Amino acid sequence: MSIHELKDQLHYKIDQLNDEKILEAINTLISADKTLFVIPEEWRKGIRQGREDVKAGKVYTLKDFEKKYEKWLGE
């Protein structure tokens, strides 16, 4: 589907809507800038650390975890 076709389809669907809440939600989505999906810096730090840990081989499989914590898991 081309962008033009998609726009036409969206215009048609919006013209058919009478639900104010849905129209407000659509307006919020198309008015939002990219800051709508900001990842907080502390999360970014955790993601970076996780990537570094994976590269360094500092990871555990589920089986590793289960073996280490068999008693705690009640097995």
Side-chain angles (χ1 to χ4, degrees), residues 5-44:
E5 291 169 327
L6 183 56
K7 285 182 177 183
D8 284 346
Q9 190 176 42
L10 287 169
H11 284 283
Y12 175 77
K13 287 180 179 181
I14 290 169
D15 287 341
Q16 302 305 308
L17 279 173
N18 291 314
D19 186 317
E20 187 176 353
K21 294 217 183 274
I22 292 175
L23 290 168
E24 287 173 357
I26 292 168
N27 188 48
T28 299
L29 283 173
I30 62 177
S31 299
D33 59 19
K34 293 185 183 204
T35 60
L36 183 65
F37 301 104
V38 173
I39 298 173
E41 184 54 36
E42 60 271 14
W43 291 13
R44 289 178 186 269

Side-chain angles (χ1 to χ4, degrees), residues 45-56:
K45 287 178 186 175
I47 292 167
R48 281 193 293 273
Q49 182 63 54
R51 288 179 171 170
E52 289 172 17
D53 288 346
V54 169
K55 285 179 185 175

